[in-house]
Amino acid sequence: MTARWCGLLAVVAVILLIGGSEAAREALLDDYGEFLPHIRLAKDLMDPRRYDSRVRPVMNHSKPTTVSFSMSLYQILSINEKQQNVDLNVWAIQKWNDDFLGWNPYLYGMINTTILPFDAIWLPDTYLYNSVVMNREETERYINVVVTTNYWKGEKGAEVKFMYPALYRTSCLLDIRFFPYDQQACKLTISSWTSSKSDINYVPEYESVNMDNFLPNEEWVVVSFNVKRIEEKFVCCPEPWVLLEAVLVVRRKPLYYIVNLVIPTSVITLVAVTGFFTAASTSSERREKLSLGIDSLLAMSILMMMVSEQMPTSSDFVPLFGIFYLSIIFIIFIGTLFTAFILNVHLQKMYAKPVSPVISYIFFGRVSLFLPTFFSLV
Ligand SMILES: *[C@@H]1O[C@H](CO)[C@@H](O)[C@H](O)[C@H]1NC(C)=O
Ligand SMILES: *[C@@H]1O[C@H](CO)[C@@H](O)[C@H](O)[C@H]1NC(C)=O
């Protein structure tokens, strides 16, 4: 009995299912029993007999595909002096002609533009040559492509517009010689990895990168971001490659470093130097001058540690900031050294010893001759 009921239920379910898919199918059809135009268009364009996404879509295979490239800078995420790389958030647009996609809008309800998934069609293998990240999923986010038929231009095929956001981390040699008043130039080299000039020809759509949506960076000001096209031969192949070089020039805003490093060090140096000039009295020797010098040196080395944490370890040159610190340390060092010397001479009185002949010759015989001239000048 139950088995018969089950059988009946199954038959009803099958009938319902067929009816359901029939109804769904009907919804896709127009009044004449044909597929709706946009569905027909996608089906026809992606018909495997017609389109093969593995093949570069040109009628004449000797002709290169021209890919026009443009970019918008959205944000400078970070510039790492220590690792010598730069993180950028950009929006890229590539445009090219696909000779195999294209349709007559009169046959497809006057549709001029359609959107297709990126993996359904041929894409140029555009790659950022100096990227630090190898995996594409971690840098570029491919979504869809916009396809516009060339019918109205009187040509075959369609124009493909491929827009995607990208987080690029590129290596960039940062020259911190003039830190914190430095200006850096970082180059992004963009081209196809496998196709030479005879296959893909890149052209920059605009001379400079679009900055309309740029979120200002707290530390850096963008001076310029220009794209230029160059041709370069590589060791691998006789054919030249077309490269796009986008050069980002940024200047550091020095306020942070002036407030946090330059002013404190200058104040400490000033205090230390004036401290050395406090007069000694016969009652006490001002031995604190010695500890003042040692303490200032200690403060300097702590501040210097803060700077060196940011700096790349380079032995090729001494950055300006390093020279600044070194000279300040040198001044305090000289001050402390002379204090020790003067204290040494001064403290001889404890042992009731006379001034040593060498010192008495230097100061009473030589330096004293210059002192009147010096003071008359001042
Ligand atoms: C393809 O293009 C090349 C170079 O422009 C030309 O020499 C050749 O005749 C073209 N072939 C056809 C079949 O049009
Ligand atoms: C497609 O372009 C043609 C010519 O510019 C225009 O007449 C037509 O209205 C466009 N179709 C749509 C859906 O916008």
Side-chain angles (χ1 to χ4, degrees), residues 26-277:
E26 216 134 78
L28 301 176
L29 303 180
D30 61 11
D31 297 344
Y32 308 103
E34 282 205 33
F35 276 113
L36 291 171
H38 53 289
I39 297 165
R40 209 150 35 81
L41 179 63
K43 275 184 192 293
D44 289 353
L45 286 181
M46 294 293 89
D47 189 340
R49 278 168 304 175
R50 193 188 129 130
Y51 196 85
D52 191 336
S53 64
R54 293 170 300 183
V55 185
R56 191 164 60 86
V58 281
M59 285 298 172
N60 180 347
H61 63 85
S62 330
K63 291 217 166 110
T65 302
T66 303
V67 176
S68 94
F69 185 88
S70 62
M71 210 160 45
S72 293
L73 180 63
Y74 180 56
Q75 208 180 352
I76 297 175
L77 296 172
S78 64
I79 294 184
N80 313 313
E81 290 89 358
K82 205 148 179 86
Q83 288 94 31
Q84 299 267 307
N85 60 35
V86 174
D87 288 345
L88 300 177
N89 186 351
V90 299
W91 298 334
I93 304 176
Q94 298 182 53
K95 282 187 205 161
W96 65 92
N97 267 323
D98 191 314
D99 290 355
F100 300 163
L101 283 175
W103 65 92
N104 180 348
Y106 286 115
L107 304 178
Y108 294 95
M110 293 307 277
I111 295 174
N112 296 337
T113 299
T114 187
I115 292 177
L116 297 173
F118 76 90
D119 49 4
I121 68 162
W122 176 87
L123 298 177
D125 57 341
T126 309
Y127 182 74
L128 182 66
Y129 276 39
N130 51 352
S131 174
V132 180
V133 185
M134 275 289 145
N135 201 348
R136 204 208 72 215
E137 275 75 34
E138 286 170 29
T139 61
E140 290 163 347
R141 173 88 167 83
Y142 287 179
I143 307 168
N144 287 325
V145 292
V146 181
V147 184
T148 307
T149 182
N150 280 343
Y151 182 85
W152 302 108
K153 293 188 210 158
E155 291 167 16
K156 277 185 89 81
E159 191 196 62
V160 182
K161 196 168 162 188
F162 185 30
M163 303 179 271
Y164 51 89
L167 291 178
Y168 287 136
R169 168 170 288 190
T170 66
S171 50
C172 170
L173 282 182
L174 299 164
D175 181 0
I176 41 88
R177 204 178 293 245
F178 297 112
F179 174 90
Y181 302 97
D182 52 339
Q183 180 164 312
Q184 306 293 349
C186 286
K187 192 162 68 181
L188 277 73
T189 309
I190 296 157
S191 180
S192 160
W193 189 256
T194 41
S195 304
S196 64
K197 189 186 170 189
S198 58
D199 287 328
I200 298 184
N201 180 18
Y202 285 92
V203 286
E205 192 169 3
Y206 307 104
E207 232 170 55
S208 61
V209 171
N210 184 316
M211 304 286 286
D212 291 349
N213 298 301
F214 181 62
L215 292 181
N217 189 278
E218 278 156 8
E219 197 184 342
W220 298 89
V221 189
V222 177
V223 178
S224 69
F225 198 0
N226 293 332
V227 191
K228 71 173 194 292
R229 174 186 184 278
I230 58 161
E231 287 179 20
E232 194 172 324
K233 272 194 180 163
F234 292 103
V235 187
C236 72
C237 330
E239 284 266 352
W241 252 247
V242 177
L243 305 178
L244 292 182
E245 284 188 351
V247 181
L248 171 69
V249 180
V250 285
R251 192 180 324 116
R252 197 191 299 269
K253 299 182 200 166
L255 185 68
Y256 172 85
Y257 297 97
I258 290 176
V259 170
N260 286 290
L261 296 172
V262 178
I263 292 179
T265 29
S266 309
V267 167
I268 291 173
T269 319
L270 210 66
V271 168
V273 170
T274 43
F276 288 134
F277 282 109

